Amino acid sequence: FTATMYATSASCVMPPPRALLCLVVLSLLTLASGGASGDRPRPSVHHVKQEAAFKSVRDLSPQDFVVDSLPGLKEEPPFAMYAGFMPLTNCTHKKLFFWLVESERDPANDPLVLWLNGGPGSSSLAYGFWTEHGPFRLQQDESSGDIFPSPYQYAWNKIANVIYVEAPVGVGFSYSDVRSDYFNITDAESSLDNFRFLLSFFEVFGDKFGENDFYITAESYGGHYGPTLAEQLIDNPNDINMKGLWIGNPGINSDWYYNVNEYAFVTFLWNHGLIPLNAYVAARDACGWTEFLKNCTRDFTHPSKECLAATTTAVGYMPSPLDPYNVLVPTCHTDDDDEDKALARDQHVAKQFPFLAEFRRRHGLENSLRFTYDPCLNELTPQYMNRKDVTAAVNIDPDHDTDGRWPGDAVGWYYNQGPEGSKKDIALIYPKFFKMRPEWKYVVVSGTADAAVPFIGSERWIACLDRPIKNDFHAWYMNEDVAGTVLEYDLITFVTIKACGHTVPTYCPEQGLLMLSKWLDGSF
């Protein structure tokens, strides 16, 4: 590898371990001397101060990322926070934004948990941090209109140190100086960048967290992000103390809404009374779904024209508005009489949840089916996080101009929707996990009210892994009531959360925290 290659390439290659330091040093010297600039653009205006203060990963320390306080926070939190742009090891033109919150309990000994939201294209700050299991919830003063964070009782950092990362590059605040990095991102590229982030993170925070048990947790399209990152830990040299992989309501192979085969989605709709029996039976028969749950070898990923026509007819009966991520809860009705605001929310769903938008286009439902997933509390997060005083507090230069787009993606951002991206069958990685890392803990968690990635499909692909049952199907409890079910196979566990939606910590925060605690301490 040469400095010129590193400086001019829009992609980054993992060098041999002994070449890491030489490559970084040569690259920095080349850039400093003005040579080998190639097609690598100069930093845009809003990154100038950030780049001027740039340090190599080896020169960074936790102190560079300290978050002293947050605007509007009324009391000092009982835990430390760190946030900022982490340059990726051997790929420093890419920077992922992260926010680390230490455990309230025992940060030196509690596990370190990485959290990745899905999408693809969803911000782990906008969702994981602010609306799922972060340490705060945003509130608005009724008289002044001021938005402020307040402590959240079901935060995951009650029992763990948690890192929230906006990934891949181009999501939220994370960025690349090479614009072509935003186009046609693949699972392989995003997983390698997430691995590079971990190398950088532990280079900086290794003295604090290098010996803590480390877990990867991910949700939705995180069903791709989490396992492919775990695979990088197997395939590349590292000394990360990895202990397990948690994925929630994960898109894994073809049986989730708007993918290839919609068995789980359409069956779920019928089971919940949202489409009529005759339409479901027509789709079942046209698609050959009578064998879906028992035939793990048949290829269901190439539905016929008759199958697609029948499923389009069936989903056309769906009532509207509907939250497909939890069909049991009401939707957000704030200012529903204001058509402009209703349209803006609809456009937000189309932007932040592109598969929902594509699902409507695929079935010709653009004008008849309105998805209003976005919970009302989400309306506060962009207002707060796009403020200059807030971005400064989390170590984003005050001149870092997001143009109010956060948590949106960069212009031209696109994630591969073929076999290198959303159509990749992630279930095929699990036998490798079982063979190479049988000591890791693996769990799949499903809220049973989620129509988008229904538990039916998750239960099926896990069963098709053909692992022997270690602990048969049984209930788990919270407050002396059934909270869900557990089916423990050899090396992998399937857990459901009763009557809960796609984002378990949002819809069922108490159950979500208890579930995480039980999984970490092995008490399921």
Side-chain angles (χ1 to χ4, degrees):
F1 297 95
T2 66
T4 301
M5 283 178 61
Y6 178 69
T8 61
S9 176
S11 62
C12 307
V13 179
M14 287 300 296
R18 293 181 180 178
L20 294 179
L21 179 58
C22 295
L23 183 57
V24 172
V25 172
L26 286 172
S27 300
L28 293 176
L29 289 173
T30 302
L31 292 175
S33 65
S37 60
D39 63 353
R40 180 180 169 108
R42 292 177 60 81
S44 55
V45 172
H46 58 275
H47 290 142
V48 168
K49 288 188 178 180
Q50 192 80 20
E51 293 292 338
F54 173 76
K55 298 179 180 179
S56 72
V57 174
R58 290 180 178 273
D59 292 332
L60 290 168
S61 72
Q63 190 63 33
D64 292 302
F65 297 99
V66 169
V67 176
D68 293 317
S69 186
L70 292 173
L73 193 60
K74 302 184 185 303
E75 58 186 55
E76 184 177 349
F79 51 86
M81 297 189 290
Y82 306 85
F85 290 109
M86 182 65 74
L88 303 188
T89 295
N90 304 309
C91 205
T92 54
H93 68 273
K94 293 181 178 181
K95 294 181 177 61
L96 294 185
F97 187 82
F98 78 99
W99 196 329
L100 163 66
V101 288
E102 287 192 356
S103 173
E104 287 190 25
R105 190 174 60 182
D106 184 3
N109 296 296
D110 281 344
L112 177 66
V113 171
L114 173 72
W115 175 260
L116 296 168
N117 274 95
S122 294
S123 161
S124 296
L125 267 63
Y127 301 101
F129 187 94
W130 286 115
T131 71
E132 297 191 53
H133 45 66
F136 310 109
R137 280 288 190 269
L138 289 174
Q139 298 184 15
Q140 189 166 31
D141 187 277
E142 293 184 1
S143 58
S144 67
D146 292 341
I147 299 172
F148 60 94
S150 61
Y152 185 54
Q153 61 179 326
Y154 299 119
W156 280 13
N157 80 316
K158 298 286 184 183
I159 60 172
N161 306 284
V162 187
I163 320 167
Y164 300 86
V165 180
E166 291 190 303
V169 290
V171 173
F173 292 117
S174 297
Y175 71 93
S176 172
D177 290 327
V178 180
R179 293 196 177 277
S180 60
D181 287 336
Y182 299 148
F183 182 71
N184 199 30
I185 300 171
T186 65
D187 282 354
E189 182 180 1
S190 63
S191 65
L192 191 52
D193 281 352
N194 288 334
F195 175 67
R196 292 181 180 114
F197 169 83
L198 290 181
L199 294 182
S200 296
F201 177 86
F202 283 106
E203 181 75 27
V204 177
F205 288 90
D207 288 345
K208 290 180 67 69
F209 299 111
E211 296 185 4
N212 297 57
D213 289 348
F214 176 71
Y215 294 89
I216 296 171
T217 63
E219 178 182 84
S220 190
Y221 198 81
H224 283 231
Y225 294 155
T228 55
L229 173 57
E231 187 178 30
Q232 292 286 352
L233 294 180
I234 294 175
D235 291 345
N236 293 290
N238 66 88
D239 56 0
I240 296 172
N241 191 25
M242 173 73 169
K243 295 295 184 181
L245 172 64
W246 180 107
I247 51 175
N249 286 79
I252 291 290
N253 51 22
S254 71
D255 54 330
W256 46 287
Y257 84 105
Y258 175 59
N259 201 291
V260 180
N261 187 292
E262 293 178 308
Y263 166 81
F265 177 63
V266 177
T267 300
F268 181 96
L269 294 177
W270 172 65
N271 284 338
H272 286 74
L274 296 171
I275 61 174
L277 174 63
N278 63 331
Y280 174 70
V281 170
R284 180 199 67 187
D285 292 345
C287 299
W289 288 341
T290 54
E291 295 186 0
F292 192 83
L293 293 179
K294 60 184 180 181
N295 189 340
C296 295
T297 61
R298 177 176 167 180
D299 182 8
F300 290 91
T301 61
H302 296 86
S304 65
K305 292 181 179 179
E306 292 78 13
C307 173
L308 291 175
T311 55
T312 294
T313 299
V315 300
Y317 286 101
M318 290 174 63
S320 178
L322 178 72
D323 181 349
Y325 292 125
N326 189 336
V327 299
L328 303 182
V329 300
T331 56
C332 184
H333 294 290
T334 303
D335 294 320
D336 257 0
D337 56 336
D338 187 326
E339 185 60 28
D340 289 340
K341 290 187 176 181
L343 178 62
R345 285 200 305 276
D346 205 41
Q347 291 173 338
H348 172 83
V349 171
K351 184 176 181 180
Q352 293 300 310
F353 308 95
F355 289 163
L356 285 180
E358 183 58 34
F359 169 82
R360 292 194 304 183
R361 288 192 292 271
R362 173 176 177 172
H363 292 295
L365 301 172
E366 294 97 329
N367 298 321
S368 60
L369 181 63
R370 171 162 286 174
F371 285 134
T372 55
Y373 160 66
D374 188 30
C376 297
L377 63 90
N378 273 356
E379 296 179 357
L380 300 180
T381 53
Q383 298 178 52
Y384 186 76
M385 287 301 299
N386 280 301
R387 283 169 36 182
K388 299 294 187 183
D389 57 338
V390 175
T391 55
V394 294
N395 299 310
I396 297 174
D397 190 277
D399 293 334
H400 182 93
D401 184 13
T402 61
D403 297 322
R405 70 169 175 81
W406 187 94
D409 305 328
V411 175
W413 194 91
Y414 176 78
Y415 203 95
N416 184 284
Q417 294 188 24
E420 295 182 342
S422 65
K423 301 298 190 296
K424 183 180 178 69
D425 188 352
I426 300 300
L428 298 176
I429 303 177
Y430 275 78
K432 180 177 181 177
F433 290 155
F434 303 151
K435 179 180 180 180
M436 303 292 291
R437 294 294 186 275
E439 71 276 14
W440 289 355
K441 298 196 295 184
Y442 304 93
V443 68
V444 179
V445 178
S446 283
T448 62
D450 177 23
V453 189
F455 73 93
I456 304 168
S458 297
E459 190 170 22
R460 187 253 185 184
W461 72 257
I462 295 171
C464 285
L465 293 173
D466 200 27
R467 305 299 303 178
I469 293 177
K470 183 177 179 181
N471 192 359
D472 207 356
F473 187 90
H474 62 279
W476 68 280
Y477 297 86
M478 185 182 74
N479 301 327
E480 300 183 355
D481 199 1
V482 174
T485 61
V486 181
L487 180 54
E488 185 182 356
Y489 293 90
D490 177 45
L491 300 180
I492 187 168
T493 302
F494 180 55
V495 177
T496 67
I497 315 293
K498 183 184 71 174
C500 195
H502 183 68
T503 54
V504 167
T506 300
Y507 295 111
C508 307
E510 187 175 6
Q511 295 96 315
L513 180 59
L514 179 59
M515 171 272 303
L516 178 71
S517 177
K518 283 179 170 291
W519 180 62
L520 291 175
D521 65 22
S523 62
F524 263 129

